[in-house]
Amino acid sequence: MSDMVEYYNGIASGYDELYKEEQLKKFAILLADDELFVGADTMLDVGCGTGFSLDYFPVKKATGIDPADKLVEQYTGKQTILVGAAEDLPFEDHSFDVVISMTAIQNFEDIRKGLEEIRRVGKNRFGLSYLKRSSKAEKIEDLIDEIFSEFQILRIEEEKDFIFIIEE
C-alpha cells in the first residue's frame, strides 16, 4: 500500500469534513463552463475520494474510482464506485463523455500513465486539477499539454489549485 493510500485511509472518517467544501468550489467552476457537461450522459471521477461528486454532476451514469478503500466504503449513493488506481483504469477506450480528476493528479504513483489512462477512457471532455504547491507542478503541466495537445485547454488559477478544462 502506498503512503498516499495509507494517509487517505487514515483520514477517511473526516475526509468530507476536511475537503468537501473546497472540492465543491472546484466542481462549480467545472459546471460554469458552457460546454463541459452539455449533453454528457456518462462521467468518470478519477481519485473520487468518498464519491460525493458522483451525485453532484448532471449526468445519467457517474462512476468513481479511488485507490483508498476506506474512502470508497463511505459512498452511499446510487452510482458506481470502485477501488482502483488511475494508472490502470478498468474501462474500455472512450467509455466516458466527461472524465474529471480533482486535486488527485499529484498523488498518482505514475503521473504520465494516470493521465494517459484518463485520456484513453475519455471521449473529448476533461476537467483536471492539481495542487498549486505540489513539487510535481511543472511535470503535471507539461504532461497535460503533451497528452491533451489536440484539445483546447483552458487553465484556471483557483485559490489552491490549477484547474484545466479540456475540450475539442
Side-chain angles (χ1 to χ4, degrees):
M1 183 182 302
S2 78
D3 290 345
M4 288 311 298
V5 171
E6 247 180 76
Y7 168 76
Y8 283 106
N9 276 340
I11 65 161
S13 63
Y15 180 87
D16 283 353
E17 188 177 329
L18 288 169
Y19 295 113
K20 188 172 185 176
E21 184 179 327
E22 186 180 312
Q23 290 294 79
L24 289 173
K25 289 178 190 174
K26 292 174 223 168
F27 295 170
I29 290 169
L30 296 182
L31 282 177
D33 183 80
D34 291 339
E35 302 288 324
L36 192 60
F37 284 92
V38 172
D41 290 328
T42 58
M43 178 193 84
L44 173 66
D45 184 352
V46 179
C48 67
T50 59
F52 58 82
S53 66
L54 305 180
D55 301 305
Y56 183 83
F57 291 98
V59 295
K60 292 177 185 165
K61 183 173 179 357
T63 303
I65 190 164
D66 197 283
D69 58 309
K70 299 294 185 214
L71 292 178
V72 169
E73 288 170 6
Q74 293 185 52
Y75 181 66
T76 58
K78 294 183 175 154
Q79 301 291 350
T80 303
I81 191 167
L82 308 166
V83 175
E87 297 83 357
D88 188 25
L89 297 174
F91 310 107
E92 298 291 323
D93 294 358
H94 313 296
S95 297
F96 298 94
D97 296 324
V98 179
V99 180
I100 67 170
S101 183
M102 297 282 98
T103 320
I105 296 168
Q106 71 279 346
N107 297 329
F108 293 177
E109 292 287 322
D110 181 334
I111 293 169
R112 173 181 288 281
K113 180 69 172 144
L115 288 171
E116 287 173 347
E117 281 287 278
I118 286 170
R119 171 66 189 97
R120 179 185 66 77
V121 302
K123 291 180 181 172
N124 58 9
R125 295 183 261 175
F126 306 87
L128 309 174
S129 78
Y130 71 86
L131 281 175
K132 289 195 296 193
R133 61 181 168 81
S134 171
S135 62
K136 302 169 188 172
E138 189 174 337
K139 177 181 183 175
I140 294 168
E141 292 265 346
D142 291 346
L143 287 170
I144 287 172
D145 286 344
E146 175 189 331
I147 293 166
F148 298 91
S149 63
E150 76 269 28
F151 297 102
Q152 294 179 31
I153 301 173
L154 173 63
R155 182 177 182 268
I156 300 165
E157 184 170 355
E158 194 256 345
E159 182 183 345
K160 296 181 179 181
D161 284 45
F162 284 114
I163 300 171
F164 297 83
I165 296 176
I166 303 168
E167 305 166 307
E168 281 189 317

